[in-house]
Amino acid sequence: MTAGYLTTHVLDTATGQPAADLKIVLYRLDDGSGAASAIAEARTNRDGRTDTPILPADKFAVGRYELVFHAGAYLDAQGAAPPAPRFLDEIPIRFGIADPQAHYHVPLLLSPYGYSTYRGS
């Protein structure tokens, strides 16, 4: 049996391009208190992906997680003039990992005024 792992990537749907150099922080959520502990941080590469799984096999575990995408800083760097305050800034996506042997892929499709996600492959 192989151990599971978590990957992500970000596509900028306003430009039709991968979102490069976007900061992502992964948190593990405590089931009892709901407290969040940061366990990984990465930046997307030119392909909008992290260079390695954001949660590799050796740290992968069943539980509740949250990916926080720092979209506002990315959009600012792209020259998307924001109103004050910016409509989208940090985008949290909470999800559960139930199968310790599976590959979980949680992508973000991003624009200055909207986003979507799904469980990919």
Side-chain angles (χ1 to χ4, degrees):
M1 267 185 167
T2 60
Y5 59 100
L6 172 66
T7 58
T8 187
H9 76 274
V10 185
L11 298 174
D12 184 332
T13 59
T15 65
Q17 300 293 318
D21 200 33
L22 188 145
K23 179 180 169 183
I24 304 167
V25 181
L26 175 65
Y27 296 87
R28 181 168 172 88
L29 304 175
D30 182 305
D31 284 330
S33 69
S37 300
I39 58 173
E41 184 176 313
R43 287 194 169 271
T44 56
N45 59 25
R46 288 179 30 187
D47 194 33
R49 300 176 184 278
T50 58
D51 289 330
T52 60
I54 195 154
L55 187 58
D58 64 334
K59 296 182 178 164
F60 194 77
V62 169
R64 294 176 50 239
Y65 294 87
E66 179 178 75
L67 282 167
V68 176
F69 297 85
H70 290 253
Y74 163 80
L75 292 166
D76 288 346
Q78 301 309 302
R86 178 176 281 292
F87 181 68
L88 291 176
D89 188 17
E90 294 179 1
I91 299 172
I93 298 174
R94 288 191 171 188
F95 59 96
I97 291 176
D99 183 353
Q101 306 304 317
H103 170 201
Y104 283 75
H105 183 68
V106 182
L108 180 71
L109 304 175
L110 171 66
S111 76
Y113 293 97
Y115 67 92
S116 64
T117 190
Y118 55 93
R119 180 173 176 194
S121 58

